[in-house]
């Protein structure tokens, strides 16, 4: 999320500064991408439940841990 904000990625405002309290960094992953990024925590799931556009492929990108496992991961910004 911080990298997206710093590089002007449209649609990611990062209003909460990456502490999982605003959902402005809501993204969709592919099924394979979701497996690579791992499951959302309970607090992230609770935040996503407040978003009408959330689905089973939703994550908050501020909560995806940066690691080699997600190298090349494609995230689609939710609208």
């Amino acid at each position: 999320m911080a990298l997206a904000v710093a590089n002007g990625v449209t649609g990611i405002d990062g209003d909460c500064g990456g502490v999982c309290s605003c959902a402005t960094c809501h993204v969709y992953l592919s099924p394979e991408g979701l497996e690579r990024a791992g499951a959302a925590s309970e607090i992230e799931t609770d935040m996503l439940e407040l978003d009408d556009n959330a689905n089973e492929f939703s994550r908050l990108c501020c909560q995806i841990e940066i690691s080699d496992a997600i190298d090349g991961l494609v995230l689609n910004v939710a609208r």
Side-chain angles (χ1 to χ4, degrees), residues 12-78:
I12 296 181
D13 299 325
D15 291 338
C16 74
V19 297
C20 195
S21 65
C22 73
T24 64
C25 66
H26 177 197
V27 295
Y28 300 114
L29 289 87
S30 66
E32 181 264 335
L34 191 61
E35 183 177 312
R36 288 175 49 201
S41 68
E42 184 177 350
I43 191 169
E44 181 181 353
T45 301
D46 290 347
M47 184 59 58
L48 284 166
E49 287 176 357
L50 300 174
D51 190 320
D52 292 336
N53 298 314
N55 63 35
E56 67 270 22
F57 303 108
S58 293
R59 286 292 310 267
L60 299 180
C61 67
C62 73
Q63 298 300 298
I64 298 173
E65 186 174 332
I66 304 297
S67 72
D68 289 340
I70 65 165
D71 185 33
L73 188 70
V74 175
L75 308 171
N76 293 296
V77 177

